[in-house]
Amino acid sequence: KMTKELLFSITKKDFIIETFKAGGKSGQHQNKTDSAVRIRHIESGAVGESRSERSQHQNKTLAFRRLLQTNMWKTWFKVKCSKMFVSKDEEQRILETVEKLMQPSNIKIEHRIDGKWVEVALEKLEENDE
């Protein structure tokens, strides 16, 4: 048997849960009760929302499922998990490599002029910033 190991946990305090009136054309019940739910994960910025059900509890469940399906959540989750398996030395080496790759000499910027791609010199970009 393979044992499961907890990598990290998230709790209700990691989210902002908002309730509001669903509105729309489904009748008086939607316009009188705060049954719609929006859930935001603070660290990742991912958002899930539901207003389709009459019950706030059901909408909360749907909103959470929708949040978990967003690309922002999936990316945050992958990064969070990968950091669990990387040592501090490896993390520092990765950051240094990324820093080197982001040097202006390694970046090529082009824009389209008259249907053709033309390279823009970084010096011109820096002059425009001033």
Side-chain angles (χ1 to χ4, degrees):
K1 276 187 171 180
M2 191 168 106
T3 59
K4 293 182 180 180
E5 183 181 330
L6 181 67
L7 293 177
F8 63 92
S9 64
I10 54 173
T11 63
K12 195 173 181 177
K13 70 179 182 189
D14 296 315
F15 297 90
I16 297 171
I17 301 172
E18 303 167 307
T19 59
F20 54 96
K21 291 175 179 51
K25 56 186 175 182
S26 286
Q28 294 177 346
H29 181 78
Q30 274 193 346
N31 298 324
K32 290 183 180 175
T33 61
D34 285 356
S35 60
V37 178
R38 180 180 302 117
I39 302 175
R40 299 173 195 269
H41 181 242
I42 298 166
E43 197 173 335
S44 70
V47 177
E49 185 176 302
S50 177
R51 58 178 73 199
S52 59
E53 303 298 323
R54 285 176 60 105
S55 155
Q56 186 184 96
H57 179 71
Q58 289 174 319
N59 279 329
K60 192 178 284 187
T61 301
L62 276 172
F64 190 68
R65 284 185 181 155
R66 289 176 180 163
L67 180 145
L68 296 178
Q69 293 171 348
T70 65
N71 285 334
M72 286 182 83
W73 169 264
K74 289 176 183 177
T75 301
W76 174 84
F77 184 76
K78 288 175 187 175
V79 169
K80 183 85 170 171
C81 289
S82 66
K83 284 185 175 183
M84 307 293 287
F85 297 107
V86 174
S87 71
K88 290 292 180 192
D89 291 338
E90 287 176 305
E91 185 178 355
Q92 186 60 38
R93 187 180 50 76
I94 291 168
L95 290 172
E96 288 170 3
T97 302
V98 169
E99 190 66 32
K100 285 178 189 173
L101 293 173
M102 293 301 294
Q103 294 298 315
S105 60
N106 293 328
I107 298 174
K108 180 179 178 181
I109 300 172
E110 297 179 327
H111 66 110
R112 212 172 166 112
I113 298 178
D114 299 327
K116 295 180 182 177
W117 287 102
V118 178
E119 187 172 351
V120 177
L122 284 175
E123 296 79 33
K124 287 187 179 182
L125 288 175
E126 291 168 358
E127 287 172 10
N128 291 339
D129 287 343
E130 294 174 357

